[in-house]
Amino acid sequence: MDYINNKFDCIVVGAGHAGCEAALASARLGLKVLLCSLNMDNIALMPCNPAIGGPAKSTLVREIDALGGQMGVTADATYLQMKTLNMSKGPAVRALRAQSDKKEYIQYMHNVIQSNSNIYLKQCCISKLLAKDDKITGAVDEYGIEYIAPTVILTTGTSLEAKIWVGLNSYQAGRLGEMPAHGLSKSLIDLGFYIKRLKTGTPQRVDKRTIDFSKMQEEYGDNELSFYSFRPDRPIRKQYPCYLTKTNEETHRIIRENLDKSPMYQGYIHAAGPRYCPSIEDKIVRFKNNPSHHIFVEPEGLSTYEMYIQGFSSSLPAEVQIKMLRTLPGLEHAHVIKPAYAVEYDYVPAVQNTHSLMTKHVKGLFMAGQINGTSGYEEAAAQGLIAGINAFNYLNKSEMLELSRSSSYIGTLIDDLVTKDIEEPYRMLTSRSEYRLLLRQDNADFRLSEIGHKIGLLDEEQYKRFLNKKETVIQEIQRLKDTKLSATDEVNQKLEQYGEHLDKGIRLAELIKRPNITYKLLQELEPETKKLNLTKDVYEEVEILIKYDGYLKRQEDQVMNAGRLEKIKIPENIDYSSIEHISTETREKLEKIRPVTIGQASRIGGVKPADLSVLMVMLERHNYSKQKDNC
Ligand SMILES: Cc1cc2nc3c(=O)[nH]c(=O)nc-3n(C[C@H](O)[C@H](O)[C@H](O)COP(=O)(O)OP(=O)(O)OC[C@H]3O[C@@H](n4cnc5c(N)ncnc54)[C@H](O)[C@@H]3O)c2cc1C
């Protein structure tokens, strides 16, 4: 590596959530990294909701942390509010959400990156990729300066040939106040990639001094705090409330009357937007019988008056936005600091990547984040981490890290991206995982710490801490199975407060299986449990593993069964045109995606089960898998 001559081990294009994780992972593993951004003051910017986590996304953050990534640590250090959502529901859907101080988050991430001596920062616009013999060799910026590296990770977010819309006015920009990235899309097409367009949007930012909070409902964080990172020493910070208000008939009327000024409804924007984060005009049109929609008003940080209006994203004209906003209780006199807008951008459908996130036909070139068709900071960070690790693995000729669907949401996310044609921004949802009972936010360290440690990103100290936790959980489960609680009057008096009663003694592990009984209650009922004084993360794990034992075992069996198909490999050189008796649609899909296993083939939309059977017979007959193994 010779930075004087612009030579690096890895170039990371983009310093958003994917880029930061990619740069940190590869640099921590020892690569010399050039990290490029259109604007160095906006490292790890949250251009939309200033919040990390929520359903499924919180599990991604915990998985990133268990593998030795950065997002969880930064979110823990910069929160304005921490809240566990769905507490009354099952553990598979419980989700931590951190309202973040947006500027502190940027500053914290900036400091972490700057203090890594393997990372060299560069504010520039990469406009061309260099490749030779189907291998990446570097990149060129807008001034024609060449940067040489055997690996490049593209994490360009919403910037590629991006266009912002406010009403029928449009201009070229990746995010409000930031230039778009020109040239890279063409360079990718020249290298043989195909590109499509997507759209997303963000709501207004309003001056908090012009809001009447007394007309809104306050929403507080948790009293007993949970954190993202499994590492200790998380700061206890003062928490701040969010606020709830709602739309009404007047809001809906203004929106309906102005749909002719919407670039979406007038057909100027053709790209699909995020189905699970619709604009307010979409909500009014699609759910026309709904008289009102919830709108959350959330702080963006302690050093700014900007409040984020969640649920009110729009691409209507700025003056219409003000009118509709002022119909909301508490926002009658609102002053808008930044308008809502929609942005259209290029993405590179990720079926052109392998599970390692390296592209199929340019070796050494990786893609992560929104460029792969996803939406969301956590989804981006998760991919960035994997791309960063695999850039290192590729250079060192080590085995690529490809997480399975049953190991993690990260594995599920990447498998979906490289297997399915994504036609709208992909967001992680618990329903996307067939194993969601096993893939919980509470057990991400159990699932992935071993891998994080083996890769070299999870340090010895943290790994030992995890092993201790694991041992304590195992021992405590055994102790609860062995310890009997007598049916004394005192015990029954306490139990009756929770609608329970004991006729005879019972083992603690049996008692905790009852729906009304928690580990915390056992601490009150039984002196030894109290004396142990286990930490919340440990006793929650114990409680979940005992309470849901039957369901978990069933899902583990499901993983075993599905594993059979994942083990049947399809050779890289297979010629689908030579296979008779499969439908044209299946053949076209298999040819396009080129799945690596029968399991992956079975998840491709349009691939018929009968055709898969033909393929399996043919693989067996020609002993294709064996040939591959012998190579
Ligand atoms: C208007 C808007 C609304 C959004 N709404 C939502 C939402 O509702 N829900 C949701 O989950 N997510 C939303 N997002 C998406 C969320 O911001 C992204 O998914 C997430 O930030 C993507 O992370 P990333 O790392 O892929 O890209 P980003 O965080 O966007 O970072 C991209 C980085 O690449 C740099 N870059 C780009 N091109 C070049 C180049 N050629 N050379 C050098 N540097 C380059 C940029 O400067 C930036 O540092 C929204 C984003 C925007 C802009």
Side-chain angles (χ1 to χ4, degrees):
M1 207 286 311
D2 174 8
Y3 73 87
I4 304 277
N5 290 313
N6 278 341
K7 288 189 178 158
F8 301 87
D9 296 321
C10 180
I11 300 168
V12 178
V13 183
H17 303 278
C20 288
E21 292 292 345
L24 283 168
S26 49
R28 284 169 175 166
L29 291 172
L31 301 191
K32 296 285 177 194
V33 178
L34 180 73
L35 177 58
C36 308
S37 172
L38 299 174
N39 182 350
M40 270 306 153
D41 299 327
N42 277 346
I43 281 183
L45 172 76
M46 298 185 208
C48 200
N49 199 339
I52 299 288
K57 289 165 174 268
S58 66
T59 309
L60 284 174
V61 184
R62 287 258 173 95
E63 290 177 357
I64 291 168
D65 192 72
L67 287 169
Q70 184 60 38
M71 180 173 248
V73 176
T74 307
D76 285 349
T78 56
Y79 66 92
L80 293 171
Q81 186 190 94
M82 279 286 192
K83 192 168 186 158
T84 303
L85 311 175
N86 298 332
M87 247 342 253
S88 58
K89 297 189 182 156
V93 294
R94 278 178 212 155
L96 189 59
R97 180 184 187 276
Q99 187 71 37
S100 293
D101 187 312
K102 190 157 137 177
K103 287 190 180 160
E104 275 193 73
Y105 192 96
I106 291 174
Q107 194 56 51
Y108 192 98
M109 203 59 118
H110 205 135
N111 289 344
V112 172
I113 284 177
Q114 274 191 148
S115 57
N116 188 308
S117 58
N118 278 346
I119 302 179
Y120 294 77
L121 295 172
K122 189 86 190 174
Q123 179 161 313
C124 66
C125 178
I126 295 294
S127 54
K128 193 177 164 197
L129 295 172
L130 300 171
K132 198 169 173 224
D133 301 331
D134 294 336
K135 283 190 181 146
I136 201 81
T137 56
V140 185
D141 73 12
E142 77 269 45
Y143 306 115
I145 298 175
E146 286 190 7
Y147 306 93
I148 306 302
T151 61
V152 172
I153 306 175
L154 297 183
T155 68
T156 50
T158 55
S159 304
L160 295 188
E161 305 301 336
K163 199 174 189 187
I164 278 182
W165 290 87
V166 181
L168 301 181
N169 292 317
S170 74
Y171 56 97
Q172 294 189 329
R175 308 189 279 211
L176 201 66
E178 220 176 65
M179 62 194 247
H182 292 310
L184 205 47
S185 295
K186 178 177 178 307
S187 182
L188 283 162
I189 292 168
D190 291 346
L191 285 173
F193 291 93
Y194 69 93
I195 279 174
K196 290 188 177 179
R197 269 174 102 66
L198 287 174
K199 167 237 149 184
T200 188
T202 193
Q204 303 85 347
R205 309 307 194 265
V206 167
D207 188 330
K208 85 172 182 197
R209 294 167 299 181
T210 64
I211 300 176
D212 182 354
F213 293 108
S214 68
K215 293 187 178 166
M216 300 178 182
Q217 187 181 313
E218 283 180 319
E219 301 275 316
Y220 287 99
D222 293 338
N223 290 328
E224 198 181 354
L225 282 180
S226 298
F227 291 98
Y228 281 116
S229 180
F230 294 104
R231 285 159 252 196
D233 306 329
R234 284 80 46 106
I236 306 294
R237 291 160 58 98
K238 184 172 173 203
Q239 296 200 71
Y240 294 84
C242 297
Y243 300 86
L244 176 63
T245 184
K246 328 186 210 184
T247 61
N248 50 51
E249 189 36 51
E250 181 60 2
T251 330
H252 299 195
R253 184 189 63 75
I254 294 173
I255 292 170
R256 273 194 303 269
E257 284 178 3
N258 285 284
L259 284 177
D260 61 337
K261 302 180 188 81
S262 154
M264 280 296 292
Y265 285 87
Q266 293 312 305
Y268 291 99
I269 299 179
H270 300 288
R275 179 193 302 250
Y276 303 98
C277 257
S279 65
I280 187 69
E281 39 286 21
D282 266 355
K283 287 189 222 172
I284 304 304
V285 172
R286 271 164 51 190
F287 311 107
K288 43 175 172 290
N289 295 329
N290 201 337
S292 172
H293 295 274
H294 280 173
I295 304 294
F296 290 92
V297 179
E298 302 173 342
E300 290 241 329
L302 296 180
S303 60
T304 171
Y305 291 124
E306 286 177 35
M307 298 293 285
Y308 177 87
I309 313 296
Q310 201 210 105
F312 218 58
S313 120
S314 174
S315 55
L316 285 168
E319 69 279 8
V320 178
Q321 289 182 26
I322 295 173
K323 276 190 202 149
M324 60 203 222
L325 192 75
R326 288 186 177 161
T327 63
L328 306 180
L331 287 157
E332 294 85 349
H333 305 289
H335 170 71
V336 174
I337 298 177
K338 293 175 185 163
Y341 66 95
V343 58
E344 269 187 294
Y345 55 94
D346 284 353
Y347 76 107
V348 186
V351 289
Q352 297 168 92
N353 297 338
T354 67
H355 283 86
S356 68
L357 293 181
M358 186 161 83
T359 65
K360 286 177 184 165
H361 59 275
V362 179
K363 302 285 176 236
L365 177 62
F366 294 79
M367 305 214 189
Q370 196 120 3
I371 191 171
N372 278 340
T374 57
S375 161
Y377 316 131
E378 305 80 357
E379 289 84 345
Q383 294 168 65
L385 176 65
I386 300 299
I389 292 169
N390 282 330
F392 172 83
N393 286 336
Y394 168 76
L395 278 185
N396 286 281
K397 301 191 170 47
S398 312
E399 194 186 335
M400 293 291 205
L401 176 65
E402 297 182 355
L403 295 174
S404 66
R405 296 181 72 87
S406 56
S407 74
S408 55
Y409 272 114
I410 301 182
T412 310
L413 162 75
I414 294 177
D415 183 62
D416 278 350
L417 292 178
V418 303
T419 306
K420 297 172 182 168
D421 267 323
I422 305 291
E423 301 287 351
E424 57 183 68
Y426 178 104
R427 174 187 172 169
M428 201 63 221
L429 304 166
T430 52
S431 59
R432 296 204 194 267
S433 170
E434 57 279 39
Y435 307 122
R436 65 174 180 271
L437 273 185
L438 297 179
L439 308 183
R440 307 180 309 273
Q441 63 170 16
D442 62 85
N443 70 351
D445 52 347
F446 281 70
R447 293 182 278 114
L448 298 172
S449 295
E450 198 80 47
I451 299 174
H453 181 246
K454 202 166 144 210
I455 296 163
L457 282 180
L458 201 68
D459 64 34
E460 211 49 45
E461 200 184 324
Q462 177 54 20
Y463 185 58
K464 277 199 187 127
R465 207 173 291 121
F466 159 69
L467 290 178
N468 281 340
K469 175 181 169 187
K470 188 174 166 187
E471 190 52 35
T472 315
V473 168
I474 293 169
Q475 280 176 7
E476 182 58 358
I477 290 176
Q478 195 53 51
R479 192 189 69 82
L480 295 183
K481 282 182 180 167
D482 295 342
T483 309
K484 217 168 175 185
L485 183 71
S486 307
T488 62
D489 287 348
E490 196 188 339
V491 164
N492 270 327
Q493 230 172 25
K494 188 91 204 158
L495 282 176
E496 270 150 25
Q497 291 173 21
Y498 296 87
E500 296 285 350
H501 181 85
L502 291 184
D503 293 325
K504 55 180 183 159
I506 187 171
R507 297 206 185 270
L508 291 176
E510 281 309 309
L511 182 61
I512 204 175
K513 282 187 181 165
R514 297 188 183 181
N516 297 333
I517 307 293
T518 59
Y519 188 94
K520 270 188 133 176
L521 182 58
L522 292 193
Q523 287 177 323
E524 291 177 40
L525 290 172
E526 201 262 337
E528 184 59 22
T529 314
K530 185 172 183 180
K531 208 164 97 199
L532 279 174
N533 196 22
L534 295 180
T535 52
K536 187 173 170 225
D537 57 332
V538 173
Y539 73 67
E540 269 180 4
E541 202 55 40
V542 168
E543 184 176 315
I544 291 168
L545 288 177
I546 299 180
K547 264 191 192 297
Y548 298 92
D549 183 42
Y551 296 104
L552 296 175
K553 287 216 170 92
R554 231 170 294 155
Q555 195 136 92
E556 276 158 11
D557 289 345
Q558 209 181 318
V559 172
M560 292 280 282
N561 288 336
R564 271 184 326 108
L565 295 183
E566 302 301 328
K567 281 192 193 122
I568 309 178
K569 296 227 165 73
I570 305 177
E572 252 177 66
N573 60 355
I574 191 167
D575 176 9
Y576 289 110
S577 65
S578 69
I579 305 174
E580 290 169 12
H581 310 304
I582 59 171
S583 68
T584 310
E585 189 188 3
T586 295
R587 183 175 291 117
E588 280 172 5
K589 295 277 180 180
L590 292 173
E591 190 55 68
K592 181 176 174 190
I593 313 277
R594 301 202 69 83
V596 287
T597 62
I598 291 288
Q600 189 190 359
S602 70
R603 293 188 289 276
I604 300 173
V607 168
K608 298 182 179 63
D611 292 338
L612 276 185
S613 306
V614 174
L615 182 60
M616 278 159 75
V617 169
M618 181 242 141
L619 285 177
E620 213 159 273
R621 193 178 308 147
H622 293 280
N623 222 351
Y624 253 125
S625 352
K626 256 212 189 116
Q627 278 175 25
K628 173 111 195 297
D629 286 347
N630 291 342
C631 288

